[in-house]
Amino acid sequence: MSTEEGKIGILQTIIAGGCAGIANWIVGMPPDVLKSRLQSAPEGTFKGGIREVCVDLVNREGPQALYKGCVPVMLRAFPANAACFLGFELAMNFLNWALPNMSAQVCRSVVCQEVLVLILSCPFNWNL
């Protein structure tokens, strides 16, 4: 995360994470709204499934209804994903410092990186 050649700084990491979170929810918000409407409807209301929910929602409330509740989601998305990106970079920097010869070999896989992020950034979720 230093400003050495080929690396990005902390501010750039935070901005990249926040923007990634917002981009994710711009795409994911409509399906989430449809899912919530389907789950909260009385049983048997939408026999055609998610397609019927979509048609009903757009006909009754217009296409902008697919983004209901967008503001709080976006306000949460930026800091949450910025923190996730920052936690990942800090974990990788720590591993590169602690295990200089091992971390490059061991942590190349995405699965290994995700596990390390979960372990290092969420110690309060451990059920020991």
Side-chain angles (χ1 to χ4, degrees):
M1 291 184 316
S2 64
T3 55
E4 298 171 14
E5 190 173 324
K7 295 187 177 185
I8 62 171
I10 291 175
L11 183 61
Q12 290 90 347
T13 301
I14 290 170
I15 291 171
C19 290
I22 288 175
N24 175 63
W25 278 107
I26 287 172
V27 174
M29 193 71 187
D32 191 58
V33 168
L34 295 174
K35 173 209 50 121
S36 297
R37 293 284 177 112
L38 181 63
Q39 289 176 334
S40 64
E43 191 171 335
T45 304
F46 298 112
K47 293 180 182 179
I50 201 88
R51 288 182 186 166
E52 188 177 342
V53 176
C54 184
V55 170
D56 182 63
L57 181 66
V58 171
N59 287 341
R60 286 179 185 233
E61 301 178 41
Q64 70 275 10
L66 292 169
Y67 285 92
K68 277 198 170 181
C70 190
V71 172
V73 167
M74 294 301 175
L75 290 174
R76 181 197 72 214
F78 193 95
N81 287 276
C84 185
F85 271 50
L86 185 60
F88 175 81
E89 290 298 326
L90 290 172
M92 291 305 297
N93 283 346
F94 172 76
L95 290 172
N96 287 331
W97 172 78
L99 306 167
N101 295 329
M102 293 293 292
S103 63
Q105 298 166 359
V106 174
C107 295
R108 290 196 192 272
S109 73
V110 173
V111 173
C112 179
Q113 293 173 358
E114 290 296 324
V115 169
L116 290 172
V117 167
L118 288 173
I119 291 170
L120 295 174
S121 65
C122 302
F124 300 108
N125 291 334
W126 296 347
N127 294 321
L128 300 177

